[in-house]
Amino acid sequence: MMPTTPDTPGDPSARTRTAGRSAVRTLLRLWPYVRPVRARLFTAAFVAVVASCTGLVIPLVLKWMVDGPVAGRDPAGVWLGALYLLLLGVAEAVLFGLRRWLVARPLSHVEAEMRAGLYRHLQRLPVAFHDRWASGQLLSRGTTDLMLLRQFLAFPLTFLLVNGVTILVGVGVMLLQDWTLGLVILGPAVPVVVMCALFEKRYASVARLAQDQVGDLTTVVEESVLGIRIIKGFGRHRSQARAFHGLSHTLRGTELRKARLLASIWAVIMTLPEMAIGAALVVGAVQVADGSLSAGTLVAFLSTALALRWPVESIGFLLAMSQEAATATERYFEVMDEQPEQPGPALAAPAGSAKGGARRVGSGAGGDGGLRFENVSFRYPDAPPDSPPLLDRVDLHIRPGESLALVGATGSGKTTLTSLVPRLHEVTSGRITLDGADITALSREELRAMVAVAFEEPTLFSASVGDNVLMGAGDDAGQDELERALSVAQAGFAHALPQGTATQVGEQGLSLSGGQRQRLALARAVVGRPRFLVLDDPLSALDVHTEAAVEAALRQVLARTTALIVAHRPSTVLLADRVALLSDGRITAVGTHHELLRGNAEYAHLMAGAPAREEEDDDR
Ligand SMILES: Nc1ncnc2c1ncn2[C@@H]1O[C@H](COP(=O)(O)OP(=O)(O)OP(=O)(O)O)[C@@H](O)[C@H]1O
Ligand SMILES: [Mg+2]
């Protein structure tokens, strides 16, 4: 898989949805996560409002000083006033510190909860969702977007409230001091509010664009790190770097647009109030000269206006941050709103006893046992609705204890067929039964305890070899099961690794050879002694000798399970009791290897080039 530049990451409709939604309504969706810490958050907001209003008392003390002790030349009064001012300043600082302390811990809790929620949800979303969404888009939602949300809850949320209250109280104080001067100050408020509204709308769409582009960029980085071998092998590092550069250039352009928008609103918010203060100063000075206004009132008025400068100026970037948070919330919930896999019906066994439940379903199934496909049709959800189904009315019965090989040309839908059994994809019509029980009537736990799978691409995780294998078993499986599975899969090499089965495999198991990975995946499939085994071409990467050894061991496993094995080579086919041929979405022939070899031209053609070894077939 050559890493490509994704042009439609994530949900394609998402980018057009931004317009016409209200930031407030979007942000309200955060409430369930904020609820547990609401007491602290409200206390913090209250403390901040008190702190901010404490600051507004300072001008009143100034007024008292100017009109009282200063006018009356009373040094002791001035010192007293200074002391008051000092105390007020200290109180303000202490209260703001208290606010910070109050919010820090609960908010990191909110962020962690949201991230855990996202991760949990991603695990439960169907494979069809993951087929559709670029991984970088999911990654950026779990990182950048959640960070934006935490910052929003910590800062802009509180300060929009605090500054709003402060501005209201401040304006009230100014109007009480002198209402003509107050009106002069309030004049520019109207254009500022209009500008803010316009700004918000435009900023919303640019912010969304920027966050989506971060997702695109993450996808490219992720793909090129995972595909580094291909990139180097084909000497594609230049074109890959170009793709990255192109995307980061686009992102930079978007960020610059954000900065320009922010700069323009900032200019308006800074300039207009500044001019209003200048005008008030002139009008006020004239009134003081006339004797219609006391000097103390003018001082108080102007220092109130100056104290309001920060709350007013901050509105611009507080709005910007809130807008980004709204976008992040939107992106977060786009994923959270996706329907997870249905857990299955209520007859499900209580969690933890899935295996017991599976046995219960299996008992008394009678002649209807085994793995049965009944009239199964399937089309990928993203395929055009008028296209022919990939699997068309497939009927197949694998009797209990039997193993059936599935053969078909490449791209005929073998992997797709196998993925229907553990319900990685849902059948479009028809049904699949395990020992008579419809797989849709089983809970996911029951189903996945009954069926074990090994896919063509053996996926390993960054964990120890032992843990990778034991993933296929219940929590109670231990060293004995591990040993048995490793010997079945001929994966004895694990003991020769530096730390034996405790050796960590690198990301995706890339530190192991293809055949080693395949054998570990096989061990994982058999470790839980599943009653049904689905193997997608499990031996393709093994050399002839290892293959023979794995086959010999696998034959013992297959004797005790019901198995569906996708096979490309006669040697794998010969592991199975019977063979089914998949062609044009239908099962066109079922029989033994030799029957089909003689009677079916397509099968003979698929198996040509490597004639079957007679003596092995005679074993059974
Ligand atoms: N997630 C998917 N979404 C849409 N189409 C898919 C998806 N996976 C596979 N297909 C299509 O379904 C068809 C069958 O794919 P499948 O992987 O089942 O073939 P296969 O028989 O396993 O082939 P091979 O022998 O090469 O492994 C292919 O044409 C492929 O393009
Ligand atoms: Mg396949």
Side-chain angles (χ1 to χ4, degrees):
M1 37 131 229
M2 188 64 206
T4 51
T5 306
D7 43 14
T8 50
D11 182 359
S13 63
R15 292 185 173 192
T16 50
R17 215 185 289 150
T18 307
R21 64 107 173 85
S22 127
V24 176
R25 185 148 0 118
T26 310
L27 287 169
L28 275 179
R29 296 198 64 187
L30 294 176
W31 177 243
Y33 294 95
V34 176
R35 227 180 105 85
V37 299
R38 63 189 186 281
R40 270 196 169 216
L41 219 52
F42 282 137
T43 315
F46 178 73
V47 167
V49 169
V50 172
S52 193
C53 291
T54 309
L56 286 181
V57 179
I58 292 176
L60 299 181
V61 176
L62 278 178
K63 173 184 176 173
W64 170 79
M65 282 171 73
V66 171
D67 285 348
V70 172
R73 307 204 184 282
D74 167 19
V78 173
W79 280 112
L80 186 64
L83 182 65
Y84 285 152
L85 288 180
L86 184 68
L87 287 179
L88 283 170
V90 169
E92 192 183 350
V94 167
L95 285 172
F96 272 123
L98 180 63
R99 181 206 78 91
R100 202 167 260 275
W101 177 78
L102 277 172
V103 295
R105 253 170 56 129
L107 288 184
S108 53
H109 171 79
V110 169
E111 188 189 5
E113 278 299 304
M114 289 187 77
R115 188 168 285 141
L118 181 69
Y119 185 76
R120 244 191 334 264
H121 194 68
L122 283 178
Q123 301 290 309
R124 291 172 54 218
L125 282 169
V127 175
F129 167 88
H130 290 282
D131 282 351
R132 198 154 42 89
W133 279 69
S135 53
Q137 287 293 344
L138 301 176
L139 211 59
S140 61
R141 278 164 171 81
T143 51
T144 330
D145 286 335
L146 286 183
M147 194 191 67
L148 282 174
L149 284 183
R150 177 173 45 90
Q151 284 174 353
F152 166 73
L153 293 174
F155 194 65
L157 179 63
T158 323
F159 275 92
L160 274 178
L161 174 76
V162 171
N163 292 354
V165 172
T166 310
I167 291 170
L168 282 182
V169 172
V171 167
V173 168
M174 287 196 293
L175 284 174
L176 283 179
Q177 302 289 333
D178 186 291
W179 64 270
T180 36
L181 281 187
L183 288 182
V184 172
I185 287 276
L186 272 185
V190 179
V192 166
V193 167
V194 172
M195 287 294 291
C196 279
L198 283 178
F199 162 78
E200 242 209 315
K201 212 180 214 146
R202 295 184 48 188
Y203 198 78
S205 65
V206 186
R208 169 81 211 204
L209 197 63
Q211 274 151 290
D212 283 340
Q213 285 170 353
V214 169
D216 292 351
L217 207 60
T218 316
T219 306
V220 169
V221 173
E222 209 210 340
E223 273 191 335
S224 44
V225 170
L226 290 180
I228 189 71
R229 288 152 194 254
I230 306 285
I231 293 175
K232 284 191 177 296
F234 286 88
R236 301 298 296 190
H237 46 273
R238 276 216 191 79
S239 66
Q240 201 61 20
R242 244 194 325 272
F244 179 84
H245 187 255
L247 278 179
S248 61
H249 192 77
T250 319
L251 177 61
R252 178 169 161 267
T254 314
E255 288 293 343
L256 282 179
R257 265 171 71 196
K258 268 166 72 177
R260 270 198 296 274
L261 276 174
L262 202 52
S264 60
I265 190 73
W266 197 287
V268 172
I269 284 182
M270 298 272 264
T271 319
L272 287 181
E274 214 72 16
M275 282 162 58
I277 291 178
L281 183 61
V282 173
V283 175
V286 170
Q287 282 182 342
V288 171
D290 282 353
S292 62
L293 190 70
S294 79
T297 309
L298 182 61
V299 167
F301 186 90
L302 287 176
S303 42
T304 309
L306 289 178
L308 288 187
R309 243 165 52 164
W310 149 249
V312 170
E313 282 167 9
S314 67
I315 293 277
F317 75 80
L318 290 181
L319 282 182
M321 284 176 84
S322 311
Q323 228 10 288
E324 277 167 10
T327 313
T329 313
E330 194 177 71
R331 279 166 50 89
Y332 179 80
F333 280 105
E334 272 164 20
V335 174
M336 295 302 279
D337 289 345
E338 290 278 341
Q339 275 296 317
E341 290 176 327
Q342 293 308 311
L347 89 146
S353 66
K355 285 205 160 157
R359 266 183 224 111
R360 197 188 55 212
V361 172
S363 59
D368 207 19
L371 168 57
R372 195 189 271 276
F373 290 78
E374 292 175 20
N375 210 13
V376 169
S377 295
F378 179 78
R379 168 190 286 129
Y380 277 103
D382 52 353
D386 51 342
S387 64
L390 187 60
L391 298 173
D392 188 14
R393 290 162 288 155
V394 167
D395 278 307
L396 203 56
H397 183 199
I398 308 169
R399 293 187 277 269
E402 187 189 32
S403 35
L404 181 97
L406 184 66
V407 174
T410 175
S412 57
K414 302 180 296 296
T415 300
T416 309
L417 186 78
T418 54
S419 72
L420 296 179
V421 182
R423 285 182 73 189
L424 299 183
H425 289 105
E426 303 288 345
V427 297
T428 310
S429 68
R431 63 181 207 142
I432 299 174
T433 60
L434 293 176
D435 281 351
D438 191 327
I439 55 169
T440 56
L442 299 171
S443 73
R444 300 267 169 193
E445 284 82 11
E446 283 175 323
L447 177 62
R448 286 169 191 174
M450 283 170 95
V451 181
V453 287
F455 293 109
E456 314 173 84
E457 307 253 316
T459 307
L460 299 180
F461 295 87
S462 316
S464 72
V465 168
D467 288 344
N468 265 295
V469 172
L470 285 173
M471 262 181 138
D475 294 335
D476 46 349
Q479 200 62 29
D480 294 346
E481 280 87 351
L482 177 62
E483 292 305 329
R484 192 190 62 91
L486 289 177
S487 86
V488 167
Q490 294 291 311
F493 71 88
H495 297 297
L497 293 172
Q499 280 112 44
T501 54
T503 309
Q504 293 286 318
V505 296
E507 193 180 33
Q508 295 197 322
L510 287 182
S511 51
L512 297 173
S513 81
Q516 288 173 331
R517 263 180 284 154
Q518 222 166 26
R519 277 178 281 162
L520 289 182
L522 196 60
R524 176 164 60 202
V526 298
V527 70
R529 295 175 186 266
R531 289 196 300 140
F532 295 91
L533 198 53
V534 175
L535 303 176
D536 193 352
D537 205 11
L539 310 173
S540 62
L542 305 182
D543 65 74
V544 181
H545 298 291
T546 315
E547 188 187 344
V550 176
E551 274 167 11
L554 203 54
R555 196 159 272 153
Q556 294 172 21
V557 177
L558 292 178
R560 270 174 269 128
T561 58
T562 308
L564 175 64
I565 309 167
V566 173
H568 282 114
R569 296 190 276 182
S571 53
T572 320
V573 172
L574 285 171
L575 278 175
D577 304 309
R578 288 189 301 152
V579 196
L581 177 65
L582 182 65
S583 174
D584 287 333
R586 306 215 52 168
I587 298 292
T588 51
V590 183
T592 66
H593 175 62
H594 288 283
E595 283 168 12
L596 294 196
L597 212 48
R598 274 193 298 274
N600 189 300
E602 185 184 356
Y603 185 77
H605 175 71
L606 280 173
M607 289 290 137
R613 286 165 287 171
E614 289 290 333
E615 66 283 1
E616 270 200 57
D617 194 43
D618 292 338
D619 287 352
R620 49 197 59 231

